[in-house]
Amino acid sequence: MTLDEPLKGLRLLVVEDEAMVAMMIEDMLGDLGCEVVGPAGTVARAQELAQAEPGLAAAILDVNLGGLPIYPVAETLRARGVPFVFITGYGAADIDDRFADAPTVQKPFSMPVLRDTLVRVIG
């Protein structure tokens, strides 16, 4: 990662079930020079991508997809060594304790907040 373009060229998995939010995230990541994998709108699709996609630098995970928690996908990513950021409209207090160390971004969020959080988790 370079200092001026720290996310350029990185492959990021996007998991979000609200189409407008997913498009907003795709646009933000595109502006940052990232390659978007997905977006996945269901836990099942997210799990497929989390298991099979090569070269993921990180993932952005909506905590609740159609009433289902995203935690099985988070477990898969953690097992693969892929860092992730949770996004939620509910707040970090509602995140499962197993993932208390994962950063959480509150919806709505700005591109600088998302960028800085991703840079921090990717290292």
Side-chain angles (χ1 to χ4, degrees):
M1 290 191 300
T2 64
L3 291 176
D4 58 334
E5 298 173 337
L7 301 174
K8 186 173 183 173
L10 297 182
R11 300 183 80 234
L12 300 178
L13 172 61
V14 174
V15 179
E16 171 60 60
D17 61 345
E18 293 181 39
M20 293 300 290
V21 176
M23 287 189 306
M24 178 194 72
I25 294 169
E26 282 184 284
D27 288 346
M28 288 179 179
L29 294 177
D31 289 346
L32 294 169
C34 300
E35 179 185 338
V36 173
V37 176
T42 66
V43 172
R45 181 64 179 141
Q47 189 69 285
E48 289 172 10
L49 294 172
Q51 291 171 341
E53 277 296 317
L56 293 175
I60 300 167
L61 306 176
D62 185 3
V63 174
N64 183 323
L65 292 181
L68 297 174
I70 197 64
Y71 302 126
V73 177
E75 289 171 345
T76 297
L77 292 167
R78 184 172 275 172
R80 286 187 62 192
V82 176
F84 51 86
V85 173
F86 289 122
I87 56 174
T88 180
Y90 302 106
D94 292 329
I95 302 295
D96 187 298
D97 289 343
R98 295 173 295 164
F99 303 104
D101 60 331
T104 302
V105 174
Q106 180 79 34
K107 292 179 188 177
F109 52 85
S110 66
M111 184 165 58
V113 168
L114 182 62
R115 177 194 174 278
D116 292 349
T117 306
L118 287 168
V119 168
R120 191 170 64 248
V121 300
I122 294 170

